Amino acid sequence: MKSQVFHMSIPHLIAFSLPHTHTHTHAHTSYSCMFTISPSLPSEMGGSEVNPNHEPHLPRGGITAEMQDLLPRLKLSHSLYQRSHTPRSPAPETYTIRPYRTEDKEMLYQVCLETGASGSDATHLFSNFPDLLGDRYVGPYVHLCPDLCFVLEDVSGVCGYVLAALDSQNFYDSYRSKWLPRLEGKYPPPPPIGSHGDSSEREMIREVQAPDFYLPPPLYLEHPSHLHIDLLPRAQGKGMGTAMIKTILALLKAKGSSGVHLEMNVSNKKALRFYLKRGYSLLDFDHETPRDVIILGREL
């Protein structure tokens, strides 16, 4: 068992460690990560005009005051000797990236629903069938390739995930042969394409039951793997997305993948900027791409 520590520049980072537990067995590989984030230290922790020689890494009073802080607090009656203790900073905010577990499925479906409208909450769009998005974008991954599914968790519970397929063609074949039979009878028959009164639910029922997977030969040859990631708002903007992407890319590369791609809605400008800053490129093929969808790829 080996441990590796990765250092990243994240605002307000007090401690950051990525215990990368890589256990080789004949069956699977497991990874886990831990991040500790806390607001910046108070600005008073330096010298002053009164005491310019005060070292910035020590509290006021120098080493004597620091040693006194280690002593038990004495409850003396005289107010002169009473000293209140004020925490120097809020309790750290902790995130854990860990492998998917079966009991996570319901929460992953919820995260998918609450980020299903180009990153915004889609609950109101799927009130009749709240499992629709999860049955298309979460369920097949945790069922067909759970070893490539990772969960982001904080003190309040699951707040994100990253899911991947090593071989996209094999995954799409298994979606039709192994996943779709599990959904039999759960949804009404898909409406004809272009039928009057199409809604988000009707379109997604069609997408779940008769998916139009986009995988032209050049894309499959150079970027055979694919992934997608979703984080709730409370976990965004803290470096967790980057950490999860690095985790899954390292595992895909270790399993022999030469490249990874993903599909995203062209209207999601925030996500597009995120991926372009992390080494992804827009891929353009002669084959017609799905409506309102762009393809991004990255070599491994």
Side-chain angles (χ1 to χ4, degrees):
M1 180 178 296
K2 298 180 180 179
S3 294
Q4 300 178 358
V5 177
F6 299 84
H7 298 282
M8 297 171 56
S9 176
I10 299 180
H12 314 307
L13 193 64
I14 299 302
F16 176 92
S17 64
L18 185 79
H20 184 169
T21 307
H22 190 170
T23 306
H24 291 281
T25 68
H26 294 293
H28 67 281
T29 304
S30 63
Y31 292 76
S32 64
C33 321
M34 179 72 74
F35 306 86
T36 303
I37 298 179
S38 179
S40 301
L41 292 173
S43 58
E44 303 90 73
M45 300 289 285
S48 66
E49 293 180 358
V50 177
N51 186 4
N53 296 322
H54 172 66
E55 296 186 49
H57 64 280
L58 292 176
R60 294 193 184 281
I63 191 66
T64 302
E66 191 169 53
M67 293 300 294
Q68 288 177 344
D69 280 347
L70 300 178
L71 299 175
R73 303 290 181 208
L74 299 178
K75 295 183 178 179
L76 302 178
S77 58
H78 200 293
S79 60
L80 179 63
Y81 298 100
Q82 290 182 349
R83 184 179 178 184
S84 62
H85 176 66
T86 303
R88 295 177 182 172
S89 63
E93 189 173 9
T94 303
Y95 292 89
T96 302
I97 299 175
R98 58 169 176 78
Y100 166 79
R101 297 192 292 255
T102 304
E103 58 267 28
D104 297 323
K105 183 178 177 180
E106 182 178 348
M107 282 307 304
L108 265 59
Y109 269 53
Q110 188 63 32
V111 171
C112 185
L113 181 62
E114 293 183 14
T115 57
S118 296
S120 300
D121 194 346
T123 302
H124 63 290
L125 300 176
F126 298 93
S127 57
N128 295 315
F129 302 102
D131 282 354
L132 259 176
L133 286 176
D135 279 339
R136 173 62 179 88
Y137 297 112
V138 174
Y141 293 89
V142 300
H143 178 66
L144 299 172
C145 40
D147 59 319
L148 289 171
C149 300
F150 288 86
V151 172
L152 179 66
E153 194 170 40
D154 63 8
V155 293
S156 299
V158 172
C159 54
Y161 59 77
V162 61
L163 315 172
L166 180 64
D167 186 305
S168 295
Q169 187 60 65
N170 287 345
F171 175 82
Y172 295 148
D173 291 343
S174 296
Y175 180 101
R176 296 184 177 97
S177 64
K178 298 178 180 179
W179 177 246
L180 275 183
R182 298 174 64 91
L183 303 180
E184 187 173 355
K186 187 174 183 178
Y187 302 109
I193 297 177
S195 58
H196 178 70
D198 267 0
S199 64
S200 297
E201 285 186 331
R202 287 164 63 88
E203 290 181 0
M204 187 51 60
I205 288 174
R206 185 164 51 240
E207 175 64 22
V208 167
Q209 298 184 351
D212 183 19
F213 296 123
Y214 180 77
L215 193 66
L219 176 61
Y220 181 51
L221 179 64
E222 298 178 9
H223 304 85
S225 305
H226 73 269
L227 65 84
H228 72 270
I229 178 173
D230 285 312
L231 274 67
L232 291 178
R234 71 173 190 262
Q236 297 176 10
K238 301 176 181 179
M240 298 300 102
T242 299
M244 296 186 78
I245 291 289
K246 285 191 173 186
T247 299
I248 197 65
L249 292 186
L251 182 53
L252 288 171
K253 185 175 182 179
K255 288 179 173 289
S257 177
S258 59
V260 63
H261 72 273
L262 59 91
E263 297 181 9
M264 59 169 291
N265 193 290
V266 69
S267 66
N268 196 341
K269 305 298 184 184
K270 182 179 178 180
L272 177 59
R273 290 193 297 269
F274 172 86
Y275 289 115
L276 292 178
K277 287 181 179 179
R278 285 151 185 83
Y280 288 80
S281 302
L282 284 168
L283 302 180
D284 187 18
F285 300 99
D286 293 335
H287 303 73
E288 184 179 353
T289 57
R291 181 170 56 91
D292 298 330
V293 169
I294 57 177
I295 309 297
L296 300 175
R298 173 176 166 164
E299 295 181 358
L300 297 179

